[in-house]
Amino acid sequence: MDIVTKNLMSNFRAEEGLSDDIHEAILFEHFANFCVVSKEYSEDFALEDIHTGDGNDVGSDGIAIIVNGTLVNSIEEIADMASSNKYIEAEFIFIQSKTSSHFDGADISNFLFGVRDLFNSVSRLPRNEKVEEKVKLITEVYGKPVLFKRGNPICKLYYVTTGKWQNDPY
């Protein structure tokens, strides 16, 4: 990892009050999640509300669900917005982060396969508790398709790495 990224992560750790002994890969996951979600959502949010990486994470280290401009973390929030706004405008953000110095086609494929699996009615992959909670929110959004008056939900995938693209043909 380059010195600029290391220093950015060190400052990020201090600003967020994260432990000095947090593993570098986990810190990078939080850092990547923060950078991506901050770009898409301008309000404050808790890192733990996004972080899903922890084994059985279907290849996603972070999942953010934004409904009607609000980052949601419960079925009740979605139901309240649907009831009060009479529409649902949803955006799903999936983040995979890698500290490796190169791109790995297999990692990218696993990430894509894992995200796709989240939208299947029957999962082929084991899911941790955080991912299961996000799937419940996705299911709640898709359970109200008549409220998609402003368009279907948008799905954004971010693969964040410190590596450099080398025109890999695969």
Side-chain angles (χ1 to χ4, degrees), residues 46-114:
L47 293 173
E48 285 305 317
D49 289 343
I50 307 300
H51 189 250
T52 55
D54 192 20
N56 292 333
D57 57 19
V58 299
S60 291
D61 296 319
I63 301 173
I65 300 172
I66 301 171
V67 175
N68 298 359
T70 301
L71 186 68
V72 296
N73 291 298
S74 73
I75 289 174
E76 294 77 25
E77 287 176 293
I78 296 169
D80 287 347
M81 279 189 247
S83 176
S84 63
N85 298 135
K86 307 294 187 233
Y87 71 90
I88 288 183
E89 186 174 59
E91 185 174 330
F92 305 115
I93 301 168
F94 301 92
I95 306 154
Q96 171 59 271
S97 54
K98 295 289 183 187
T99 58
S100 61
S101 61
H102 65 284
F103 280 79
D104 185 332
D107 282 341
I108 295 171
S109 293
N110 288 339
F111 174 46
L112 298 173
F113 182 80

Side-chain angles (χ1 to χ4, degrees), residues 120-134:
N120 289 337
S121 55
V122 177
S123 175
R124 292 195 220 152
L125 299 174
R127 300 172 176 168
N128 67 33
E129 186 177 320
K130 293 176 183 179
V131 171
E132 281 294 343
E133 287 302 313
K134 298 297 184 180

